[in-house]
Amino acid sequence: MSLLDEIVFSSSPMAPLPPVPKPAKTSFSLGGKENLRPLQIGGPWMVCNTSPSQAAAKWSDLCTRLSDRGLLLECPVNALEKLPVASIPRRLFRQSVGTSLILEELQSADIVEVTCQHKESGSWGWPPEVDSTASMQDWLASVRHVIGKNTPFGIGVKSGIDQASIEAICNWPIDFVSLRDDGPIELFVDSITRMRIHFHERSKDKPILVRTSNKRADHLLKILSLGASAVTIDGLLADLWQSPSSSPSQGGFFGSQISSSTQAKKTCQVQETLDSLSVKLQEAMRNSGCETLKDLTSSLRALTPTAARLTQIPLLSQ
Amino acid sequence: MSETEKNPEVEVNASTLTHDQLLEQLSAVASDTPIRVTGLDANNSGVLSGLDLSADLQIDSAIGSYAFMAARQSAIVVAGNAGDGCGHSLQSGSILVRGDAKNFLAAYAVSGYIAVHGRAGDYAAYGLAGADVLIRSRCGNGVATRMSGGTLVLGNGCGENLGEGMTGGIIYVRGEVGSVAPNVQASRLKEAETIRLSLMLVRAGIKTTYEKFQVYRARSEKAIPS
C-alpha cells in the first residue's frame, strides 16, 4: 500500500465536516460516447464480492441502502428474489470466459461484465475460442446480440495488462472496462493509470470499474483519483459481516430472528459506512471545487499532484 | 430435423438488414411458417446470435463466425459452411450444417442438437455441457476438450488429443482417432447405448449402423451397465 500512501490529497485548512449528503436522487452517467451505452449509477462505489451468506441477516439492509443510492451490486439474480422491488439495487452480472453463457443472468442484469478469468482454473486470458483481435471483435458482437442491445457490457481484466491489450480494448465495442486489483500494488497503480492515459489520449473515456479488497477509505478515494470511475467497497464492509450477530444461527440468510435493537444497530453500520464514504468524497470534491458527481473522476484526478507525478497522469485541470 | 424438409414459404433477404432488423423480420412471420434466409455470406459474423424464436429456418449460404450463439428453440438448416464457434452456448433447438464447420463447433453448448454433414476443424465440442453433437466427416485436433456433458458422435474419426480435460458426457467414434487424452478411456458399445446413438444418426439423416462405433468417456465417469 506504500504507493497509495505516498499520494497526498491537497491539504485544506481544518474545516468542520460537511453534513452527511443525501442519497443521490438522480443517477449520473459514465461513458456513453461513440454510440456506447452509459453506465447509470448513483455514485462511484459498488459491492461485488459480498455474498448473501456472508452478509447473512444484513443482506436485505445492504441491498436497500445500495438501491436507495443507486449503487451497483454484483450477485446472482436468485439472491434478490425475496426482496421487495424497492430494495433491489442495480445488478451487475459477471460471466467468466471458458464457460457456457448463462442466459437468465445475462438477460436480467442491469450491467454485464465478461471477465477474462477462467472460472475453473482461475487463470487469465482471452476466451479460448478466440484466436485473434479480429475474431475477438466478432465474439464481442455476438455476445452483445445475446445480452441485448441496451444493457451496458464490458470486459474484465487484471493488473499487469499489457499495452497491446489496452490498445485493443480501447477499440472494442464495449461500454466499460473492469480492472481487478491483483498482485503488487505497483502493478495495479501502473495498470489503471496506463489504461486511463491511453483512453484519454484517444478521446475514448471508457469507464473503468475497479475491483479491490482494499479496506481503507482514503485509498479508495485515491484509486478514483488515479482514473477509476467506480471502485468496490467490499473490503470496508467485510468487518461488518464478521460480528457475531451476523452468524446464520442467529438469523441466517434473510432470517428475521435477530433482535430488533441489534438489527437497527447493524443497519446503522451499513449506512454509516456508506455515509462516511460520501462525507469523505464530498470533502474531496469540495476541496477540488467540484459541485456535482458528474465529473467526479476527472476532478478527483486533478486533486493528486503527487499521483500525477508518480504515474504521469495528464491533469485534466491544466 | 430430417432430409425431407418442408418447402420454405417465406423468404427474408438479410443482405441489407442489421442483426436486430433481421430478428424483427423473422419474429413477424407466423411461427408455423418455414423461413428461407438469403443474402448472407461467410463474412457475416454473429448471425442470429441470441435468437429466441420457435421457427424452421433455412439459410441458403455459408455463414461466418459465432453464428447462433446461445440460440433457443429454432430448427436451423445451413446449406453452406459455418465459421468458428457455430452453435456456441446453444440453449435448445437444432442446427444442421450441410457443409463444413470451422474451429470450436458447438463450444459450451448446453442443450439442443448440432449436426455437421461435412468436416469440423479443431476443438469441436470444446467445453460441451449437455447438447448432442454429430459430425459426419473427419474432425481436427483437441475434440471434446473440457467436455462436461452431452453426447458427441464422430462419423469419421478425429485428430490428436481427444477428450483433454473431459469430465463428463460420452463420445462415440467411428474411424481412426489420432490420439486419446490420458484422462479418457475407450470401451465397447453397450446395448443400452445403441438406441441413443441410432437416434442421433437418424436425426441427422445418416443411414448407417452403430456396430463400428467405439465409445470414449472420462475415466472418472462410470460406464452404463449392459
Side-chain angles (χ1 to χ4, degrees), chain A residues 98 100-101 107 128-129 135 138 142, chain B residues 45-46 66 72 88-89 104 108:
Chain A
S100 305
L101 300 181
Q107 295 179 347
E129 61 271 29
S135 177
D138 293 341
S142 299
Chain B
S45 62
Y66 308 111
R72 286 186 280 202
H88 185 296
S89 293
F104 288 94
Y108 317 110

Side-chain angles (χ1 to χ4, degrees), chain A residues 258-299:
Chain A
I258 193 167
S259 71
S260 58
S261 60
T262 314
Q263 177 91 37
K265 185 181 173 188
K266 298 306 171 192
T267 301
C268 286
Q269 283 184 345
V270 173
Q271 191 165 341
E272 277 171 12
T273 304
L274 292 171
D275 284 346
S276 163
L277 277 170
S278 298
V279 168
K280 288 187 169 81
L281 185 61
Q282 290 274 339
E283 196 174 4
M285 285 169 59
R286 194 179 53 177
N287 288 344
S288 67
C290 178
E291 292 182 354
T292 67
L293 289 174
K294 191 176 180 183
D295 298 323
L296 176 72
T297 56
S298 57
S299 301

